[in-house]
Amino acid sequence: SQQGEEDPQALSIQEGENATMNCSYKTSINNLQWYRQNSGRGLVHLILIRSNEREKHSGRLRVTLDTSKKSSSLLITASRAADTASYFCATDGNSGGGADGLTFGKGTHLIIQP
Amino acid sequence: DADVTQTPRNRITKTGKRIMLECSQTKGHDRMYWYRQDPGLGLRLIYYSFDVKDINKGEISDGYSVSRQAQAKFSLSLESAIPNQTALYFCATSDETGLETQYFGPGTRLLVL
């Protein structure tokens, strides 16, 4: 079963606007990661936030984590056409403590309109 | 050169055929993973390996087998392919903790007729 669930499933915004995607998960975690996937290609790691962190920044990316609500958000500021991709959250397995692969959500498909 | 490579990149096969997807990595990681991606379902874990002597089933291992020939190589086999195994397959690696970043290959697009 899916651990993470992204919301919305699809998002279309104008270039220059900010894009916010949300992820909810079910069990305890050690960390939560966000990945980007360009159409038909492999996933690329964007950012990792640990369970004891609340917010993290990397360039135009801002990730928040609320472990009490079991949710995370990814904010992309000043969006560019090249940001068009699918974005996935991933958690470190259903047990929350194992290294047995990541559990991915279904993804948010982001389209940046020029 | 890419750190994680997969061959073939695309494959069309017929129901009942045995096929093998191969993955190689140059990152020196001990941990390797196979996932499949279906439209609207995200990625799901098929098998994972912590080292050459350690193989573990993932969420959806039925109909698949794997072989870890060396630290750098992890292959996925479909013993008797069926149409619902049509999907995009990804190999990934991670360091010894397994809790950090995973590095993905470019994927193999498989069509089973």
Side-chain angles (χ1 to χ4, degrees):
Chain A
S1 61
Q2 301 294 132
Q3 163 77 315
E5 294 287 342
E6 290 90 344
D7 170 58
Q9 292 186 347
L11 178 62
S12 180
I13 61 173
Q14 294 296 123
E15 193 168 18
E17 294 180 339
N18 296 339
T20 300
M21 291 158 271
N22 302 296
C23 169
S24 60
Y25 57 92
K26 299 175 182 176
T27 62
S28 62
I29 61 172
N30 290 303
N31 64 58
L32 184 144
Q33 303 179 42
W34 285 90
Y35 286 80
R36 182 186 71 216
Q37 182 183 34
N38 290 88
S39 180
R41 296 183 180 273
L43 279 71
V44 175
H45 178 260
L46 294 176
I47 194 166
L48 179 152
I49 187 166
R50 302 186 189 284
S51 59
N52 62 354
E53 297 177 311
R54 292 295 168 261
E55 187 171 313
K56 199 164 184 178
H57 297 254
S58 176
R60 293 185 296 114
L61 305 180
R62 172 177 169 256
V63 170
T64 63
L65 179 64
D66 187 334
T67 53
S68 66
K69 296 181 179 179
K70 291 186 168 59
S71 67
S72 173
S73 67
L74 171 67
L75 168 68
I76 303 174
T77 60
S79 63
R80 305 167 182 170
D83 294 329
T84 293
S86 291
Y87 292 81
F88 295 89
C89 68
T91 55
D92 56 328
N94 291 326
S95 66
D100 51 349
L102 297 174
T103 303
F104 288 83
K106 296 179 181 180
T108 291
H109 185 52
L110 175 64
I111 297 173
I112 307 301
Q113 308 275 8
Chain B
D1 291 337
D3 294 322
V4 184
T5 57
Q6 293 182 232
T7 56
R9 293 295 312 279
N10 296 279
R11 179 74 182 269
I12 300 174
T13 191
K14 295 182 179 180
T15 296
K17 294 291 186 180
R18 182 181 187 276
I19 66 165
M20 179 182 291
L21 309 182
E22 298 186 351
C23 176
S24 294
Q25 53 114 346
T26 59
K27 298 194 72 66
H29 287 163
D30 286 327
R31 302 188 178 221
M32 299 186 73
Y33 310 83
W34 275 104
Y35 296 89
R36 67 175 277 176
Q37 184 178 32
D38 299 275
L41 292 180
L43 279 75
R44 291 180 291 167
L45 183 64
I46 306 172
Y47 269 95
Y48 59 102
S49 170
F50 288 173
D51 62 37
V52 175
K53 299 179 181 179
D54 183 88
I55 302 290
N56 303 280
K57 292 182 178 181
E59 180 187 353
I60 52 164
S61 60
D62 287 349
Y64 301 95
S65 63
V66 291
S67 174
R68 185 79 184 268
Q69 301 95 323
Q71 186 205 37
K73 296 183 182 295
F74 192 34
S75 59
L76 175 73
S77 294
L78 285 68
E79 298 302 324
S80 180
I82 56 177
N84 76 3
Q85 290 178 313
T86 292
L88 191 53
Y89 290 85
F90 289 103
C91 173
T93 74
S94 68
D95 66 16
E96 62 182 8
T97 69
L99 298 176
E100 306 290 335
T101 302
Q102 289 196 3
Y103 297 87
F104 284 80
T108 294
R109 191 173 297 276
L110 176 65
L111 173 61
V112 182
L113 299 174

